[in-house]
Amino acid sequence: MATGTLDMQSIYRLLVVDDAKSQGSSLVDVDGNVYLDLFSHFALGCLGYNHPRLLAVARSDEFVRGSINPTSSPFCPASSWFDVLEGLKAYAPKGMQRIFCVDAGTEGIENALKAAFIVHGERRRVAAGGPANPLELPAEEQEAILANAGSDAVIVSFSGAFHGRTMGSLSCTHSKTIHKADIPAFRWPIAPFPANRFPLARYADENAAREAEALSALEQILDEYGPRVAGVLVEPVQSEGGDRHASAEFFRGVQALCKKAGCALILDEVQTGGGISGTMWTHEQFGLEHAPNLVVFGKKLQMGGFFATDDYTIRQFGRMYQTRNGDRARAMLALETLRVVEEEGLLAHVREVGAHFLAGLEALAERYPTILSEPRGKGFLLALDLPTTAQRDDFLKRALRRGVFATYTGSRSVRMRPHLILSRDEVDEALGVLDAVAREMAG
Ligand SMILES: Cc1ncc(COP(=O)(O)O)c(C=O)c1O
């Protein structure tokens, strides 16, 4: 593909996949070019192209029935829906056996925010001596609800975050102007996400000071908004916002502040869940004191949704409902994907090969300090920076011409989100290409 003057988005839109020929981590385009896929469609992909176990599920009668017989699962579910849900719960974060399924990541966020608001609203009413059930409120208060004046509750999100493109999610998204321009958003408070340096170990002291500042800013917001705060929403690694990592201590601090404020901790694992960090859920690496209240999934699970602790059970039917709460066919693929991740030991594989990949990126950053910096990663959530946006794009184009398809994030970061099956040999091949590109650019 001639990539010369095109920007990265145009290049990706011109790259049309031949998914009959693509296999494993090899993406073949319709012109017959073969790329090592370190992009996986913004982390949607998990087991590579045409995995035999997923093909077998997709060819099963059960899958065909699930695809052609749409059911409104909350009202009149098909029996296989319960089997799939039970199966998925085996992979739920510890202590979170409630599951709610929708179609996309942003819908998962939207509904997790609703769950946080509903539980918070009930608690607030009951604490003030009112009814838990909003339908028992006096008529004028019910009218106020219908006229959009029923609640002043807020969700706190972080600077640089990306949570999706529907209205609630977008109100918590602060990564790029283009996502939000001209769209009115809820004026909810925004806490600063720590601007850490990498490798995390080298900048530990500096980063600890930044994280302490960020936590203190969050605490101030929680104090200021007091009982209005229904939840704090945060990504375990800010992905679209530039692959920004914070330490386990930081996340423990956020949880402690949520506990003190009596609000929900809502983790957005849409991009970080499903094994890409080397654990099924990235927050497992944070040593949290107890389960978060709500964990949102998407991407690799082939549908959106959230897991919740029992205290975030929504009691009244109809408050959380969509015509199709969960697509059976997608859910079957999700379950088979997670089973393969477990049975083929892919979490350990991602940890081991991811550490090797990161060590390789660190070596490149040492070798080409004027071009590459800030190598960072957890498992296969990998990134590094270039000095400018133009240089980053140039780097990505050169890599693409040499057959390595990495992607961008933030203003000047290269992001890698390989399929979980990427082998050590393929990592070495990628590192060889990135080395050649950096050498070329360093002149
Ligand atoms: C962290 C995070 N949350 C939410 C979303 C939204 O997911 P979707 O695009 O499936 O709606 C994304 C998508 O990139 C994401 O990275």
Side-chain angles (χ1 to χ4, degrees):
M1 186 196 302
T3 56
T5 56
L6 292 174
D7 65 25
M8 291 316 296
Q9 288 179 350
S10 310
I11 290 171
Y12 293 158
R13 285 162 61 199
L14 287 175
L15 201 159
V16 180
V17 180
D18 181 341
D19 63 1
K21 297 211 179 100
S22 300
Q23 190 66 42
S25 291
S26 289
L27 184 164
V28 182
D29 74 9
V30 287
D31 301 321
N33 299 304
V34 182
Y35 302 97
L36 182 59
D37 184 3
L38 305 183
F39 160 66
S40 72
H41 304 267
F42 295 107
L44 272 179
C46 187
L47 303 178
Y49 297 93
N50 293 309
H51 193 282
R53 293 268 299 264
L54 296 184
L55 284 174
V57 168
R59 288 177 178 138
S60 68
D61 291 346
E62 205 183 346
F63 183 87
V64 171
R65 284 195 298 275
S67 307
I68 66 168
N69 301 315
T71 51
S72 170
S73 40
F75 270 106
C76 183
S79 63
S80 60
W81 177 241
F82 297 108
D83 301 336
V84 182
L85 274 192
E86 278 315 304
L88 285 174
K89 283 184 190 171
Y91 301 95
K94 208 160 153 242
M96 307 190 78
Q97 283 296 296
R98 316 291 308 179
I99 180 169
F100 185 88
C101 301
V102 280
D103 285 341
T106 192
E107 285 176 72
I109 295 288
E110 215 58 58
N111 283 282
L113 301 189
K114 276 179 63 181
F117 281 130
I118 289 172
V119 169
H120 167 261
E122 279 183 9
R123 286 181 188 160
R124 237 174 140 190
R125 267 196 307 280
V126 170
N133 184 346
L135 301 182
E136 291 167 17
L137 284 168
E140 65 276 12
E141 284 187 45
Q142 296 201 31
E143 269 163 37
I145 290 171
L146 291 177
N148 297 346
S151 174
D152 64 353
V154 299
I155 296 287
V156 181
S157 54
F158 285 87
S159 58
F162 182 90
H163 296 291
R165 293 161 184 272
T166 50
M167 300 300 279
S169 311
L170 207 52
S171 296
C172 299
T173 286
H174 316 290
S175 52
K176 288 198 184 115
T177 313
I178 192 71
H179 298 148
K180 299 182 63 144
D182 302 322
I183 301 171
F186 293 113
R187 289 175 187 269
W188 294 336
I190 305 164
F193 194 79
N196 283 344
R197 300 284 318 274
F198 309 94
L200 278 176
R202 184 182 314 161
Y203 294 100
D205 292 345
E206 227 176 278
N207 291 340
R210 289 194 170 97
E211 293 190 345
E213 258 173 53
L215 286 173
S216 138
L218 173 63
E219 187 168 24
Q220 268 177 33
I221 289 173
L222 294 176
D223 287 347
E224 186 189 335
Y225 283 80
R228 291 177 59 195
V229 183
V232 172
L233 173 63
V234 64
E235 294 158 87
V237 174
Q238 280 196 343
S239 297
E240 302 299 313
D243 262 36
R244 304 205 294 165
H245 295 242
S247 70
E249 290 75 27
F250 174 75
F251 286 96
R252 289 201 291 270
V254 172
Q255 183 172 56
L257 291 175
C258 289
K259 194 172 174 184
K260 187 171 138 221
C263 70
L265 171 60
I266 312 166
L267 292 183
D268 178 350
E269 292 248 27
V270 169
Q271 186 150 167
T272 57
I276 191 162
S277 66
T279 47
M280 189 56 83
W281 305 101
T282 298
H283 75 265
E284 288 169 39
Q285 298 173 39
F286 297 158
L288 296 177
E289 193 193 334
H290 47 79
N293 304 96
L294 297 149
V295 170
V296 183
F297 60 79
K299 305 241 189 207
K300 290 192 169 23
L301 275 75
Q302 307 303 313
M303 58 178 174
F306 66 84
F307 295 105
T309 49
D310 283 344
D311 48 348
Y312 278 78
T313 305
I314 307 301
R315 277 183 286 276
Q316 290 137 328
F317 185 76
R319 298 196 78 179
M320 298 280 295
Y321 166 71
Q322 283 174 222
T323 311
R324 179 180 63 185
N325 270 132
D327 174 331
R328 257 191 300 157
R330 298 261 126 219
M332 283 177 211
L333 292 175
L335 179 55
E336 191 67 356
T337 299
L338 297 179
R339 284 182 172 152
V340 173
V341 168
E342 184 181 37
E343 288 164 26
E344 296 190 358
L346 290 180
L347 296 178
H349 170 82
V350 166
R351 285 196 295 275
E352 189 199 315
V353 178
H356 173 65
F357 204 160
L358 181 59
L361 296 177
E362 286 171 353
L364 290 180
E366 295 275 328
R367 203 169 307 143
Y368 306 105
T370 58
I371 300 289
L372 301 175
S373 63
E374 311 280 320
R376 52 202 184 273
K378 259 187 182 38
F380 280 177
L381 293 164
L382 291 155
L384 78 181
D385 287 358
L386 280 94
T388 64
T389 308
Q391 281 171 297
R392 186 269 316 271
D393 290 356
D394 187 24
F395 184 87
L396 287 173
K397 287 182 200 176
R398 287 172 191 256
L400 196 65
R401 283 200 289 271
R402 289 171 179 264
V404 168
F405 186 176
T407 188
Y408 54 86
T409 184
S411 57
R412 53 192 185 88
S413 303
V414 169
R415 166 174 45 167
M416 282 155 280
R417 295 287 186 269
H419 298 262
L420 273 48
I421 48 144
L422 187 78
S423 69
R424 203 180 166 98
D425 285 350
E426 285 169 327
V427 168
D428 289 339
E429 182 190 330
L431 286 169
V433 165
L434 302 184
D435 188 329
V437 168
R439 194 174 335 120
E440 223 170 64
M441 286 178 68

